């Protein structure tokens, strides 16, 4: 809608109607110590022509290098049809589908999305998504505490191989609710959790265990053993997955003897571009017995009085909108536009196409690892990986990546800030978008950058 500012006359008339003598009077309840005297750091207003020039200059500063960064945000090929369809008016501007009779298209998209995610994860129930992967994990932890009524400790085991941002967000959301997040170390030789280390918690009251697959280092965890340990010790099992990897790996619903209780992740690899950090969306799937504890909404397929098929909001916890602190969840959006794009993306690729993408990622990653080992580089941790790996570079990782970026190659993610013992290592990602020539260029730029820093 257009922005129409109020005139001075409008402001005076509104103030008179509510009995206030000035705008300042409306805020007199705010203590003087908390108020600021103007917004002096904001520059003066400029016109449309000037702001267009400014934004063009800012956009030109973006670096469009050859990208090998992953760490939770992945560059995949997105068919042109995905966003051509997603940005049609009926999708692009659609709001939450409370009125089923007026929202059949939106409801059907969510239904198709839920069906695809349930099939991909091997769990029967999917909600219509959440903000992002990190908040989805936070919601799953809260959900596990509600679902596991036998546990009174509210202690959740969180491996250090879970994405650092996911761990940080989860702590921030659940810390004030009496939930304790307990770090679980990883084996420095393999880069994954040794199931034997969990025996130190055996016999204790543990509410849930978080299981990443693949983990932050790109390594595949021993998910069957971890899932079975959780259930044998009365804990809920929460999977954290990359959806593309599920085209090749065992779905979480089949981990161990029973499968996980719930699984989360970020849907960004399914049709969302690398666009300055988002927006993305989080997915959450669970067992049927936990559906009443699931945040968000579920769309179902039914028939009307005349037997015609239609779609409706089958389950939605209304208290999340009106009961605030007593609500199942206070997340009331589902990032519907990005979910629409993901649904279209999965529909266009189909199971075979998604499997080919995943296979190309594994093959490309293995090819780059082989090239680097031939040149004398040390690749850390287990060889059981998806499309990321930790590379020891022998110099400061952040400084190295700056050198590589200056040469037009975004070489990876520095691990030092989150794992100080890995300050001389970087996390490298290879997706289906990389060619053999790209891999050769990566090795050449990496070697030159390392040599420059070593001098």
């Amino acid at each position: 809608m257009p922005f129409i500012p109020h005139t001075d006359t409008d402001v005076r008339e509104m103030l008179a109607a509510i009995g206030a003598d000035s705008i300042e009077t409306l805020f007199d309840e705010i203590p003087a110590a908390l108020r600021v005297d103007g917004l002096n750091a904001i520059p003066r207003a400029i016109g449309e022509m000037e702001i267009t020039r400014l934004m063009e200059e800012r956009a030109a500063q973006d670096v469009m290098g050859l990208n090998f960064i992953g760490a939770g945000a992945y560059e995949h090929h997105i068919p042109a049809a995905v966003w051509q369809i997603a940005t049609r008016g009926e999708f692009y501007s659609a709001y939450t589908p409370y009125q089923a009779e007026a929202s059949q298209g939106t409801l059907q998209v969510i239904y198709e999305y839920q069906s695809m995610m349930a099939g991909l994860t091997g769990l029967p129930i999917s909600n219509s998504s959440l903000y992002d992967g990190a908040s989805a994990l936070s919601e799953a932890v809260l959900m596990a505490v509600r679902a596991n009524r036998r546990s009174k400790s509210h202690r959740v085991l969180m491996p250090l191989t879970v994405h650092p941002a996911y761990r940080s967000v989860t702590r921030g959301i659940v810390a004030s609710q009496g939930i304790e997040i307990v770090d679980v170390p990883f084996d420095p030789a393999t880069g994954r959790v040794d199931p034997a280390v969990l025996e130190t918690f055996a016999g204790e009251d543990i509410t849930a265990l978080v299981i990443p697959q693949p983990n932050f280092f790109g390594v595949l965890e021993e998910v069957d053993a971890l899932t079975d340990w959780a259930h044998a010790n009365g804990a809920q099992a929460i999977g954290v997955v990359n959806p593309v990897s599920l085209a090749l790996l065992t779905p979480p619903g089949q981990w161990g003897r029973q499968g996980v209780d719930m699984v989360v992740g970020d849907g960004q690899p399914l049709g969302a571009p690398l666009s300055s950090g988002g927006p993305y969306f989080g997915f959450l799937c669970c067992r049927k017995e936990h559906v009443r504890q699931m945040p968000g909404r579920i769309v179902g397929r039914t028939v009307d009085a005349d037997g015609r098929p239609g779609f409706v909001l089958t389950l939605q916890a209304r208290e999340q909108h009106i009961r605030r602190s007593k609500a199942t969840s206070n997340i009331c959006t589902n990032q519907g536009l990005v979910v629409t794009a993901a649904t279209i993306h999965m529909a266009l690729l189909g199971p075979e196409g998604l499997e080919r993408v995943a296979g190309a990622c594994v093959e490309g990653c293995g090819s780059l690892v082989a090239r680097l080992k031939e040149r004398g580089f040390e690749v850390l941790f287990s060889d059981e990986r998806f499309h990321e790996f930790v590379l020891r570079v022998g110099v400061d990782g952040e400084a190295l990546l700056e050198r590589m970026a200056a040469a037009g190659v975004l070489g990876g993610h520095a691990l030092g800030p989150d794992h100080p013992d890995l300050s001389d290592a970087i996390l490298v990602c290879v997706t289906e978008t990389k060619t053999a020539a790209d891999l050769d260029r990566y090795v050449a730029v990496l070697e030159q950058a390392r040599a420059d820093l070593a001098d």
Side-chain angles (χ1 to χ4, degrees):
M1 63 178 66
F3 172 65
I4 304 175
H6 301 302
T7 65
D8 291 341
T9 300
D10 293 333
V11 173
R12 286 195 299 270
E13 290 178 351
M14 286 189 287
L15 289 172
I18 62 177
D21 56 13
S22 69
I23 292 178
E24 291 299 312
T25 303
L26 299 178
F27 303 100
D28 60 4
E29 64 191 61
I30 301 176
L34 299 179
R35 304 179 69 176
V36 295
D37 184 20
L39 302 175
N40 300 321
I42 297 179
R44 66 175 182 82
I46 59 177
E48 179 183 350
M49 182 173 66
E50 290 82 6
I51 195 66
T52 300
R53 170 71 67 84
L54 176 63
M55 297 311 295
E56 288 174 346
E57 292 173 351
R58 296 282 174 84
Q61 296 175 16
D62 284 346
V63 177
M64 301 297 290
L66 186 62
N67 181 29
F68 287 84
I69 306 175
Y74 302 104
E75 181 183 38
H76 289 286
H77 171 68
I78 303 172
V82 171
W83 285 96
Q84 182 67 30
I85 298 172
T87 52
R88 287 176 58 95
E90 57 265 51
F91 291 130
Y92 198 59
S93 60
Y95 188 58
T96 303
Y98 291 119
Q99 293 177 284
E101 67 277 10
S103 305
Q104 282 296 291
T106 304
L107 288 166
Q108 182 174 353
V109 166
I110 296 175
Y111 176 82
E112 301 292 352
Y113 160 78
Q114 292 171 173
S115 301
M116 293 177 185
M117 294 310 299
L120 202 57
T121 63
L123 288 169
I125 305 294
S126 167
N127 71 2
S128 56
S129 74
L130 298 164
Y131 285 134
D132 55 24
S135 62
L137 177 56
S138 306
E139 290 291 339
V141 167
L142 294 171
M143 185 176 165
V145 170
R146 295 191 300 269
N148 193 351
R149 297 181 179 179
R150 291 178 298 178
S151 174
K152 306 302 180 184
S153 70
H154 294 181
R155 298 178 71 208
V156 176
L157 302 184
M158 181 80 72
L160 293 177
T161 56
V162 173
H163 195 299
Y166 284 34
R167 291 190 280 117
S168 177
V169 169
T170 301
R171 287 182 186 276
I173 289 178
V174 310
S176 62
Q177 303 189 49
I179 298 173
E180 180 186 2
I181 301 297
V182 181
D183 290 337
V184 177
F186 61 89
D187 184 344
T190 64
R192 60 188 174 202
V193 174
D194 182 350
V197 79
L198 295 177
E199 291 307 312
T200 60
F201 301 100
E204 299 182 16
D205 182 0
I206 301 298
T207 303
L209 169 66
V210 178
I211 307 170
Q213 182 74 333
N215 67 27
F216 179 62
F217 302 128
V219 175
L220 302 186
E221 296 277 1
E222 296 183 48
V223 294
D224 292 336
L226 297 177
T227 302
D228 286 342
W229 184 92
H231 291 148
N233 287 269
Q236 298 271 295
I238 304 172
V240 182
V241 300
N242 178 329
V244 173
S245 73
L246 296 181
L248 292 179
L249 303 179
T250 301
Q254 298 176 18
W255 292 356
R257 287 186 286 272
Q258 302 176 38
V260 299
D261 296 276
M262 55 205 74
V263 63
V264 301
D266 202 301
Q268 181 274 326
L270 302 174
L274 297 176
S275 181
S276 300
Y280 299 152
F281 73 89
F283 59 85
L284 195 163
C285 302
C286 71
R287 297 171 180 265
K288 188 174 182 180
E289 57 263 35
H290 299 323
V291 67
R292 291 286 176 180
Q293 303 299 335
M294 174 177 276
R297 60 182 70 90
I298 295 175
V299 173
R301 187 177 186 274
T302 185
V303 293
D304 63 15
D306 298 320
R308 295 174 300 187
F311 301 90
V312 296
L313 283 173
T314 301
L315 182 65
Q316 179 177 221
R318 288 291 297 176
E319 72 271 13
Q320 73 184 44
H321 303 290
I322 59 178
R323 295 184 66 191
R324 301 173 71 85
S325 62
K326 295 181 180 179
T328 301
S329 169
N330 292 127
I331 289 184
C332 298
T333 186
N334 69 323
Q335 299 285 43
L337 183 63
V338 192
V339 169
T340 298
T343 307
I344 297 167
H345 186 84
M346 287 188 284
L348 286 172
L349 267 62
E352 182 181 344
L354 197 61
E355 183 177 346
R356 288 203 302 269
V357 169
C361 290
V362 173
E363 182 179 356
C365 181
S367 182
L368 181 56
V369 166
R371 282 170 163 81
L372 291 168
K373 286 184 175 180
E374 288 175 357
R375 307 297 292 184
F377 284 90
E378 181 185 4
V379 177
L380 302 183
F381 306 146
S382 169
D383 287 335
E384 296 179 342
R385 62 177 69 91
F386 178 52
H387 66 359
E388 288 177 280
F389 61 94
V390 175
L391 178 69
R392 190 179 296 282
V393 292
V395 295
D396 181 73
E398 293 182 274
L400 178 85
L401 293 176
E402 288 181 5
R403 289 292 184 108
M404 294 184 70
V409 176
L410 306 180
H413 174 78
L415 293 172
D418 296 305
H419 298 275
D421 55 326
L422 294 174
S423 61
D424 64 342
I426 59 176
L427 182 66
V428 184
C429 177
V430 182
T431 68
E432 83 285 2
T433 62
K434 300 300 176 286
T435 65
D438 294 336
L439 304 185
D440 290 337
R441 184 183 174 196
Y442 181 91
V443 175
V445 171
L446 172 66
E447 288 188 312
Q448 184 60 57
R450 187 173 70 164
D452 291 344
L453 289 173
D455 289 342

